[in-house]
Amino acid sequence: MGKRKFENVAIQENNDKYSACIFRDDLIYKRNNDIRSEFNRDYNRILHSNSYRRLKHKTQVFFATNNDHICTRMEHVGHVSSVSYSIANYLGLNTELTMAISIGHDIGHPPFGHDGERVLSNFTSKKLNYKFWHEKNSLRFADVIETLPTQIDEEINLDLTYAVRDGIICHCGEVKSKPLFPRENKIDLNLISKPGQVSPYTWEGCVVKISDKISYLGRDIEDALRLKILTQNQIKELNSITEKFNIPDFNKINNTVIVHNLVTNLCENSSIKDGITLSNDYFEFMDSIKAFCYKNIYYHSRLSNFQKYVELVINTILETIDSMYDGINTLKKLDEHCDIYPNLCDSFSKWLIKYSTNYKDNQRGKKYNNKKIYNLENKDDYYQSIVDYVSSMTDAFAIKIFNEILQF
């Protein structure tokens, strides 16, 4: 058992903050015999969402690998959940809140990892005058895209608690070498305009934020070694990083050693007074490992062809759907093209029926009682529907739609 330095202070420090943490924009139905906490309910709602399920077929770093042991986006989320749980449990924080944030933090991540994110950002910058970033998109999916069936088989939105929603949008793993403290005030999360703009509202959110970075650094190195991305000289350079900082018990660079040592150091150095923090030498070590990964893995020449392929696949899909716009008659136009693009037209038609104000009476959309977020008389709303639809795709489904567009 850990030292429990925080003793659930994050949600017990005052009643106002606790009330804000469990606040939902809309009430969700209750069962008389439900045994779960509010945060545990959020965890289950995310776990059973389609966006979470799709993460198993979304790229983390390496695309189209034939090796079953290379990390996917879903596995990364599992790593973050494990790391953040260990830290929160040791420090005495709320593990249910931590797990709910962890499992939901990447549900808005597009296909093909950060390369897919970059292509979508180019599209939104041109068409909608904003940059796409997956943390914001994850909040959007949690708030207005994802739905679950009720006891009467009626699709409704997730309606997550404020603390979980906040942790999702504030999870950006690019942590600078300084302690993390939660911010004091509850804010409108939809007004956050860029990654890292504000700190999370809870200590648990801070834990997930740094756990994201701890989780991907070690695993990305392990995958690079497995795929022979690194040369012998680069492996020597990697091992020399530990010698530079002379860190005890850190004589081997692999995922197990990195995660264990960083988690242990974080737990030993974090407190209410000092924040969620590593010691100075460990912060420097983590920054050095990150710099090594960017230089030798993320910008590796073997990934350049993948980047070009991602641009071709996603841009082809975006341009094809863009050409289908016909105001409130868009659904009819999609139906007319179903013989040519059956999978694309069918799936995107269902998407518009579910989320558009224009098709309330359409028989295919009868069971949906979720928020309606598009008015197809507005071209910007149509652009946003394209972004939402494409960002929801798995790598495999995006490739399937791309190949369908190419075929005659």
Side-chain angles (χ1 to χ4, degrees):
M1 181 61 64
K3 297 181 180 179
R4 309 193 68 79
K5 302 176 185 178
F6 289 74
E7 291 295 347
N8 291 316
V9 67
I11 62 170
Q12 294 179 356
E13 54 193 14
N14 60 64
N15 289 331
D16 289 341
K17 190 156 192 175
Y18 177 73
S19 297
C21 283
I22 63 171
F23 174 79
R24 301 180 190 271
D25 286 338
D26 296 299
L27 294 177
I28 59 175
Y29 63 87
K30 300 281 187 180
R31 292 184 175 93
N32 293 331
N33 61 344
D34 204 325
I35 61 173
R36 298 169 297 172
S37 71
E38 295 297 327
F39 300 138
N40 193 214
R41 290 196 77 182
D42 283 356
Y43 176 87
N44 292 147
R45 292 171 85 79
I46 298 169
L47 177 68
H48 295 296
S49 69
N50 284 332
S51 292
Y52 174 74
R53 292 166 179 163
R54 293 186 186 113
L55 294 177
K56 62 185 174 183
H57 295 304
K58 293 193 177 189
T59 294
Q60 173 63 11
V61 174
F62 300 103
F63 163 73
T65 173
N66 291 318
N67 192 316
D68 291 336
H69 304 116
I70 299 304
C71 191
T72 65
R73 184 65 54 175
M74 177 176 277
E75 189 177 345
H76 164 71
V77 168
H79 294 158
V80 176
S81 297
S82 173
V83 169
S84 59
Y85 176 88
S86 296
I87 296 169
N89 188 55
Y90 181 92
L91 295 178
L93 294 169
N94 188 299
T95 56
E96 290 185 341
L97 171 56
T98 306
M99 293 295 285
I101 297 171
S102 297
I103 199 174
H105 82 274
D106 267 356
I107 60 171
H109 218 295
F112 309 117
H114 290 288
D115 291 302
E117 188 172 16
R118 176 175 48 81
V119 177
L120 282 175
S121 186
N122 289 336
F123 181 81
T124 57
S125 295
K126 293 175 183 177
K127 302 292 188 181
L128 294 167
N129 198 33
Y130 77 86
K131 289 186 177 181
F132 178 96
W133 44 293
H134 77 270
E135 296 94 336
K136 182 88 167 184
N137 202 52
S138 292
L139 178 65
R140 179 172 176 80
F141 269 65
D143 285 352
V144 298
I145 300 297
E146 277 308 312
T147 61
L148 291 174
T150 65
Q151 298 100 317
I152 59 174
D153 200 27
E154 179 183 61
E155 294 281 333
I156 61 172
N157 295 101
L158 300 186
D159 293 322
L160 304 179
T161 59
Y162 181 85
V164 173
R165 295 173 58 242
D166 171 83
I168 287 173
I169 192 172
C170 294
H171 83 262
C172 178
E174 301 308 314
V175 180
K176 296 180 180 179
S177 299
K178 62 181 181 179
L180 294 173
F181 291 91
R183 68 176 190 278
E184 295 182 1
N185 300 320
K186 178 185 175 185
I187 60 174
D188 183 347
L189 300 177
N190 291 302
L191 297 180
I192 299 175
S193 59
K194 60 183 179 180
Q197 182 177 343
V198 296
S199 296
Y201 189 55
T202 64
W203 287 106
E204 288 81 359
C206 293
V207 167
V208 173
K209 184 181 177 77
I210 198 166
S211 296
D212 186 30
K213 188 172 184 179
I214 291 173
S215 299
Y216 74 69
L217 286 176
R219 188 53 203 273
D220 292 350
I221 290 171
E222 187 174 275
D223 285 352
L225 290 169
R226 187 183 295 271
L227 294 174
K228 303 187 187 314
I229 293 291
L230 300 177
T231 66
Q232 286 300 315
N233 285 335
Q234 289 169 334
I235 294 172
K236 290 179 181 178
E237 178 188 347
L238 180 63
N239 288 324
S240 70
I241 292 175
T242 56
E243 299 172 10
K244 175 182 176 182
F245 293 101
N246 195 28
I247 298 176
D249 301 320
F250 222 145
N251 54 4
K252 181 72 176 175
I253 296 287
N254 60 38
N255 187 55
T256 301
V257 174
I258 289 176
V259 171
H260 170 76
N261 282 278
L262 289 177
V263 168
T264 303
N265 184 268
L266 186 80
C267 289
E268 291 173 344
N269 287 277
S270 297
S271 66
I272 297 173
K273 177 184 176 182
D274 298 323
I276 304 298
T277 187
L278 295 163
S279 61
N280 289 334
D281 56 346
Y282 269 69
F283 261 131
E284 290 183 40
F285 169 78
M286 189 162 66
D287 287 343
S288 296
I289 290 291
K290 176 187 167 187
F292 175 89
C293 287
Y294 271 93
K295 182 179 72 170
N296 299 298
I297 300 176
Y298 307 143
Y299 294 145
H300 195 280
S301 59
R302 284 178 61 185
L303 294 178
S304 61
N305 289 328
F306 165 59
Q307 293 163 359
K308 296 172 187 175
Y309 180 65
V310 170
E311 290 178 5
L312 178 62
V313 170
I314 295 183
N315 282 329
T316 299
I317 297 172
L318 293 171
E319 291 165 8
T320 302
I321 303 177
D322 188 5
S323 70
M324 299 286 189
Y325 180 68
D326 192 17
I328 60 174
N329 297 313
T330 299
L331 196 62
K332 181 180 179 181
K333 190 166 184 178
L334 287 165
D335 287 341
E336 291 172 353
H337 285 78
C338 261
D339 288 342
I340 306 173
Y341 310 126
N343 291 297
L344 170 61
C345 291
D346 179 65
S347 59
F348 188 56
S349 291
K350 290 176 180 176
W351 189 277
L352 293 181
I353 289 167
K354 182 174 182 178
Y355 297 109
S356 300
T357 60
N358 313 86
Y359 303 123
K360 286 182 179 180
D361 299 324
N362 190 293
Q363 291 300 308
R364 286 179 283 182
K366 225 175 180 184
K367 71 175 182 176
Y368 296 122
N369 194 27
N370 57 295
K371 297 173 183 175
K372 308 302 176 183
I373 53 178
Y374 316 128
N375 179 355
L376 295 185
E377 294 177 290
N378 185 333
K379 185 66 181 287
D380 283 353
D381 278 11
Y382 185 70
Y383 285 140
Q384 186 60 55
S385 74
I386 298 174
V387 174
D388 293 338
Y389 171 69
V390 173
S391 68
S392 76
M393 292 180 174
T394 62
D395 298 1
F397 188 71
I399 294 169
K400 179 179 180 179
I401 296 300
F402 171 70
N403 288 335
E404 181 177 83
I405 293 171
L406 295 186
Q407 292 174 353
F408 286 93

